[in-house]
Amino acid sequence: MRDAVFDHIERHGHEQVVWCAHRPSGLRAIVAIHSTVLGPALGGARFRPYADEDEALTDVLRLSRGMTYKAALAGLDLGGGKAVILGDPATQRSDALLRAYGRFVDSLGGRYITAEDVGTAQADMDVVRQETAHVAGTSEVLGGSGDPSPATAAGLVHALRAVVGHRFGSPCLDGRHVAVVGVGKVGSALVGHLVAAGAKVSVADLDPSRVHAMVVRHGARACCVDDAMTADADVLAPCALGAVLDATTIPRLRCAAVCGSANNQLAEPEDARRLADRGILYAPDYVVSSGGIINIAEELVGYDRTRATARLAAIGATTSEVLADADRLGITTVEAADRLAERRLQAGGGTSAF
Ligand code: NAD
């Protein structure tokens, strides 16, 4: 069993994986540090009722590795890490559990910096902050940068301009049709930016009230999720859940390009080739959705919103570089993004600091 766990961890080059248990509060968590080559490993804490420990371990290993690539591509002096808290946040969240989690994070001495993720919120990070300084995304009164979603949306606009520029020869969004699937925190802010830039925007969400709000607030066109996914749009922007691009959905797409914030949009690695073979330009999610982490990284040097906002423009430049590399080398945009991230990691000494 022990070898099986080490094999699992070593396969993707993780540096350290820590199991945390605190019986009085019911905390069971795993912290995975994939790489600290470029700096301390930053990544959110996902609080979910995992089916079992194996599922939780697989998730934290995959997500922490993704954070290494995301931070490297964002040009940040940060590594990749992630935490999972096993349990149902609706019934098991408590200050005692979050504080116990904070003490474990603190015991890592700054090698891992935690933040919010699915199942945790800014208020939870404020509680974690009572136990450790190694937490980001706390509320602004505590010196944090607040909700990262507006920065993620603003960064996505830089990426969209790069995508449209690459595909159509001009970064201008005026008159372009963008179908946004998922108008939650990121998607709704994105719609506002797109409409202000003159784009024609279609919106879909499982929650009709969110769609309605976009129609009333921004004059967006409402449609059902399937119609938005298969819209004859210049750009499809998936901003809900991951794994929406697969062997079934890709043949049905009619968009020219895909650029959205949803994490892990490709169901499997082969989907990057499936998109390329259909002539659909895919901007990898971990390149275009780094606005939130860029914003949070500013906290670590003393948060300044103006400086953080200016840094988001780098997402456009990196997206352009990835798309151009893919064309030049005849590889998928995912391969091009991974190569660029690995170049930055190699320059920093490889993927492992040890
Ligand atoms: P959110 O929960 O605020 O919004 C998600 C929206 O998607 C909700 O309105 C929900 O009703 C809708 N939705 C859920 N399932 C759907 C489906 N099958 N079809 C259509 N709509 C569906 O989340 P968010 O913070 O806006 O994040 C959106 C995505 O972007 C997530 O994948 C997240 O991991 C990723 N992301 C977010 C940030 C950030 O700063 N918030 C940063 C990087 C990546």
Side-chain angles (χ1 to χ4, degrees), residues 66-159:
M67 290 307 293
T68 298
Y69 280 69
K70 193 178 225 184
L73 283 161
L76 298 171
D77 293 330
L78 288 170
K82 203 88 183 181
V84 291
I85 301 175
L86 291 75
D88 184 349
T91 54
Q92 286 170 265
R93 185 198 314 268
S94 68
D95 280 12
L97 179 143
L98 291 166
R99 290 185 69 150
Y101 171 68
R103 289 194 293 278
F104 277 112
V105 170
D106 200 60
S107 74
L108 295 169
R111 280 173 48 71
Y112 170 65
I113 301 169
T114 198
E116 69 177 88
D117 195 71
V118 176
T120 53
Q122 183 183 293
D124 299 326
M125 294 308 116
D126 289 353
V127 177
V128 170
R129 182 76 180 77
Q130 294 175 32
E131 299 289 349
T132 183
H134 307 303
V135 53
T138 54
S139 54
E140 293 180 53
V141 288
L142 295 177
S145 56
D147 178 5
S149 311
T152 302
L156 205 48
V157 175
H158 287 291

Side-chain angles (χ1 to χ4, degrees), residues 297-312:
E298 285 296 317
E299 260 182 52
L300 308 174
V301 290
Y303 189 64
D304 178 293
R305 188 169 298 282
T306 309
R307 197 179 54 218
T309 304
R311 288 202 67 175
L312 298 176

Side-chain angles (χ1 to χ4, degrees), residues 165-198:
H166 187 88
R167 184 70 206 230
F168 302 109
S170 161
C172 184
L173 293 170
D174 193 11
R176 291 283 162 216
H177 178 200
V178 183
V180 182
V181 179
V183 281
K185 294 191 292 289
V186 177
S188 61
L190 175 67
V191 171
H193 287 297
L194 291 172
V195 169

Side-chain angles (χ1 to χ4, degrees), residues 46 70 116-118 147-153 156 180-188 204-208 210 225 229 238-242 244 260-265 285 288-293:
R46 185 163 291 197
K70 193 178 225 184
E116 69 177 88
D117 195 71
V118 176
D147 178 5
S149 311
T152 302
L156 205 48
V180 182
V181 179
V183 281
K185 294 191 292 289
V186 177
S188 61
D205 197 294
L206 288 185
D207 181 344
R210 295 196 170 174
V225 172
M229 285 295 296
C239 294
L241 301 182
V244 286
S261 73
N263 280 324
N264 302 318
Q265 286 165 35
D285 48 70
V288 303
S289 69
S290 58
I293 188 181

